[in-house]
Amino acid sequence: MELVRGRYRYRLVHRYPAEHGGGANVVGEVGSVAELERLLRRYAPVGLADLREAA
């Protein structure tokens, strides 16, 4: 979750390993947990229960 333009947004991001040049590709950005769950179902083989907070 990030603060973007004054509002909190959830971003689904695919991060590339350093050996492949690093970087990230934003797959989608949503404003609610329900929308995030739908986005995950569409693009990822994981659900909300599988996520953990990044350090």
Side-chain angles (χ1 to χ4, degrees):
M1 185 162 79
E2 296 180 29
L3 185 61
V4 178
R5 295 182 300 276
R7 295 176 29 193
Y8 284 102
R9 304 291 290 177
Y10 297 93
R11 283 185 172 171
L12 181 59
V13 177
H14 177 254
R15 297 197 186 277
Y16 297 97
E19 61 267 12
H20 295 285
N25 179 31
V26 176
V27 176
E29 183 178 288
V30 294
S32 72
V33 173
E35 291 173 316
L36 176 60
E37 189 170 22
R38 285 193 296 273
L39 187 65
L40 280 171
R41 259 188 267 139
R42 193 174 327 141
Y43 290 105
V46 298
L48 287 178
D50 298 315
L51 299 180
R52 64 175 177 81
E53 188 174 329

